[in-house]
Amino acid sequence: MSQVLKNKLKEKIEGWRPRTARLTKEFGNVKIDEVTIGQVIGGARDIKCLVTDISYLDPFEGIRFRGLTIPEVLEKLPKVPGGEMPYVEGFFFFLLTGDIPSMKDVEEVAEEFKKRQDVPQYVFDMLKALPKDSHPMAMLSAAIVSMQRESIFFKEYEEGKLHKNDYWDPTYEDSLNLLAKLPRIASFIYRWKYKNGDIIPSDPKLDWGGNFAHMMGIPKPYDDVSRMYFILHSDHESGNVSAHTGHLIASALSDIYYSISGMVNGLAGPLHGLANQEVLKWIQEIYEKKGGNVPTEEEMKQFVWDTLKSGQVIPGFGHAVLRKTDPRYTAQREFCLKHLPDDPLFKYVDLLYKVVPPILLEQGKAKNPWPNVDAQSGVIQWYYGLREYDFYTVLFAVGRALGVCANIIWDRGLGYPIERPKSVTTDMLEEAAGIKK
Ligand code: HAX
């Protein structure tokens, strides 16, 4: 078995540990933040209380993965021959180590994934036993947690063999085992639920993203769309619901299967990952009303106001941290401008980009009126024939698992403890506010 990635990771983790240990031991009392009542009631917004070195989200610049912007990542990482996008395998190497992999490194990770891709039959049997109208995110979550019995971390921990410094090692093994299987599980859910169970077998010659596109039954350039999608959705620092849920569950030393299944459940909410499905549903409503024609700017404005007045949010716009257009939106927009500039749904999205921000500003509630990643992604999927939009968040989840697994491996490597913030009562807040004795 190739150990290149694992050995490199071991070296990186061991090199990093003294930094974390020194900060905790010598500087543990240094303050980096203050917390207000507004933040405590308001979903812990912006409270700095998590650490990750895998990605950082600047409110005005957007995400950087290991210090690189999205265009830099897409440019610097080794590309799949004949395609425009990098290998997901190389991107995972980069997320884990912070180093740009050589083509040989990429091939070794690809080989690792291929060796581990077989999904136990009981997972498929269990999925087939679920009602056909189960949401694909519920199916994905159930499939992942059903494999908990495969956890190497769980077995080694139970046997009492593991030293704390080595927790990351079986977590790495579990992560690779799970990630290798996700394209097969996700495509199985798709083909089972929407294509009469006509399952397409895996092609061992293909890379992770290319094989996913193949098993979905969608021709090129959907392989590149998949690679781009998985990379863009992989990580968004630690505080978003899916990443935080994964980290939180893993902090109790629950294994990767429990953690990633929980991550999926958090992502399934309409304010988070489900927003991409909501965007398409919402656009379809206008599309049907307009008989497939692109509405005028005035008609679109009216539609946006109607949605707001009915007490709903505009899906695909706003963000808890970002204060400008999401660079993940921009990367997908550039792809659309190149590959599907005349697509009517893309024209809708483009019109929304023009119309929504001034309306949200005029309404005066949303702190960020600009589009987020979800405003654009469904349109690309739709264009390439994936029209069952309740499946879109599964794609998000497959990508997000890359980042969350990488984070959990590092959490274990650096020995981060069980998470346990403190709660207070409303009485205590009123006392702090000076309105109650
Ligand atoms: N449409 C209408 N109102 C919006 C809005 C939008 N797109 N975005 C924010 N607001 C409203 C909020 O509902 C809130 O209203 P109330 O005061 O009545 O509660 C007010 O503006 C202030 O909210 P905020 O501080 O700007 O935003 P939050 O940090 O509370 O929430 C959300 C961030 C992303 C959840 C929010 O912008 C939203 O609901 N957007 C639409 C759903 C969406 O696109 N979600 C995906 C986000 C990206 C992501 O995580 N993808 O997975």
Side-chain angles (χ1 to χ4, degrees):
M1 187 185 287
S2 161
Q3 297 287 331
V4 175
L5 174 56
K6 196 165 168 180
N7 289 342
K8 184 166 258 258
L9 187 57
K10 184 171 180 354
E11 195 186 296
K12 296 265 174 190
I13 287 173
E14 284 173 0
W16 206 279
R17 261 185 209 143
R19 296 175 67 186
T20 306
R22 179 167 186 227
L23 283 169
T24 325
K25 204 168 162 203
E26 292 178 39
F27 304 98
N29 290 328
V30 174
K31 283 192 181 158
I32 61 157
D33 211 355
E34 284 180 356
V35 179
T36 65
I37 290 177
Q39 288 175 304
V40 171
I41 295 179
R45 191 72 78 261
D46 286 335
I47 299 173
K48 297 187 187 76
C49 62
L50 295 161
V51 198
T52 176
D53 297 289
I54 292 175
S55 66
Y56 180 73
L57 178 57
D58 179 89
F60 296 98
E61 189 195 49
I63 192 72
R64 274 182 187 258
F65 300 113
R66 290 282 185 186
L68 297 190
T69 62
I70 287 171
E72 286 166 347
V73 164
L74 298 184
E75 190 220 310
K76 286 182 198 282
L77 287 173
K79 301 218 174 29
V80 179
E84 288 173 36
M85 293 294 157
Y87 280 94
V88 177
E89 291 89 332
F91 179 71
F92 185 61
F93 183 106
F94 173 65
L95 281 187
L96 272 182
T97 64
D99 293 346
I100 304 280
S102 66
M103 199 54 153
K104 191 162 175 297
D105 295 331
V106 173
E107 282 163 9
E108 292 200 359
V109 180
E111 212 36 56
E112 280 297 311
F113 279 147
K114 279 177 195 168
K115 273 190 270 178
R116 300 164 188 251
Q117 66 171 303
D118 284 345
V119 178
Q121 184 56 38
Y122 66 78
V123 177
F124 297 135
D125 294 342
M126 185 274 302
L127 288 172
K128 286 179 188 171
L130 290 175
K132 266 275 172 63
D133 63 354
S134 302
H135 195 280
M137 285 295 272
M139 295 173 93
L140 180 67
S141 172
I144 294 171
V145 84
S146 78
M147 289 191 292
Q148 189 280 329
R149 62 191 289 285
E150 313 289 335
S151 172
I152 298 170
F153 176 85
F154 181 78
K155 284 192 197 96
E156 292 189 1
Y157 190 88
E158 276 229 312
E159 285 163 12
K161 290 205 294 211
L162 272 178
H163 186 282
K164 197 175 178 205
N165 279 347
D166 298 327
Y167 284 173
W168 69 270
D169 183 316
T171 304
Y172 167 90
E173 295 295 336
D174 280 351
S175 296
L176 259 72
N177 285 338
L178 175 61
L179 291 171
K181 294 171 179 52
L182 285 183
R184 289 188 88 173
I185 294 172
S187 57
F188 178 91
I189 292 171
Y190 179 70
R191 306 283 310 177
W192 174 255
K193 192 170 157 69
Y194 308 105
K195 302 287 168 190
N196 297 318
D198 178 13
I199 307 301
I200 302 173
S202 154
D203 181 343
K205 294 188 296 302
L206 295 173
D207 63 290
W208 201 78
N211 199 21
F212 173 74
H214 157 76
M215 292 185 288
M216 290 289 287
I218 307 180
K220 278 177 187 295
Y222 190 69
D223 52 349
D224 255 349
V225 171
S226 302
R227 293 176 194 116
M228 173 179 74
Y229 198 95
F230 295 143
I231 290 172
L232 293 183
H233 288 80
S234 62
D235 207 36
H236 219 221
E237 67 168 45
S238 288
N240 63 80
V241 169
S242 52
H244 189 202
T245 308
H247 164 83
L248 173 65
I249 297 173
S251 82
L253 293 187
S254 298
D255 59 56
I256 217 77
Y257 297 92
Y258 285 126
S259 307
I260 299 298
S261 172
M263 173 211 95
V264 170
N265 300 342
L267 194 66
L271 294 187
H272 190 19
L274 208 77
N276 56 16
Q277 147 177 352
E278 298 293 303
V279 170
L280 244 280
K281 204 158 84 186
W282 186 64
I283 292 180
Q284 284 297 322
E285 257 180 66
I286 324 175
Y287 196 75
E288 270 160 35
K289 271 192 197 156
K290 289 294 303 170
N293 298 315
V294 180
T296 63
E297 208 171 306
E298 281 315 305
E299 287 170 328
M300 194 62 116
K301 282 183 186 165
Q302 192 53 49
F303 193 75
V304 172
W305 275 115
D306 288 348
T307 302
L308 288 174
K309 284 179 186 152
S310 68
Q312 295 167 54
V313 294
I314 306 297
F317 284 78
H319 201 273
V321 178
L322 271 170
R323 294 295 174 258
K324 64 159 251 185
T325 297
D326 190 335
R328 301 171 299 173
Y329 173 93
T330 310
Q332 295 186 90
R333 180 179 149 78
E334 277 163 16
F335 186 93
C336 291
L337 285 169
K338 185 165 174 195
H339 293 277
L340 43 135
D342 299 323
D343 176 59
L345 283 187
F346 175 57
K347 290 198 167 145
Y348 269 60
V349 168
D350 227 26
L351 189 53
L352 286 170
Y353 190 22
K354 198 168 165 199
V355 159
V356 174
I359 293 182
L360 286 179
L361 281 172
E362 190 184 330
Q363 193 205 26
K365 276 177 35 171
K367 294 192 188 70
N368 175 35
W370 303 108
N372 59 57
V373 66
D374 296 313
Q376 187 74 249
S377 50
V379 172
I380 306 184
Q381 299 297 335
W382 184 272
Y383 179 81
Y384 287 106
L386 208 170
R387 304 219 155 162
E388 299 81 0
Y389 48 71
D390 55 357
F391 187 76
Y392 292 173
T393 316
V394 170
L395 304 171
F396 194 152
V398 172
R400 182 51 54 97
L402 294 160
V404 175
C405 282
N407 272 287
I408 293 173
I409 295 167
W410 271 90
D411 290 349
R412 297 267 162 94
L414 298 179
Y416 291 153
I418 186 165
E419 204 183 297
R420 182 44 167 108
K422 181 82 186 82
S423 59
V424 290
T425 63
T426 305
D427 277 347
M428 289 172 186
L429 292 181
E430 285 170 343
E431 278 163 27
I435 52 177
K436 187 172 184 175
K437 292 266 172 303

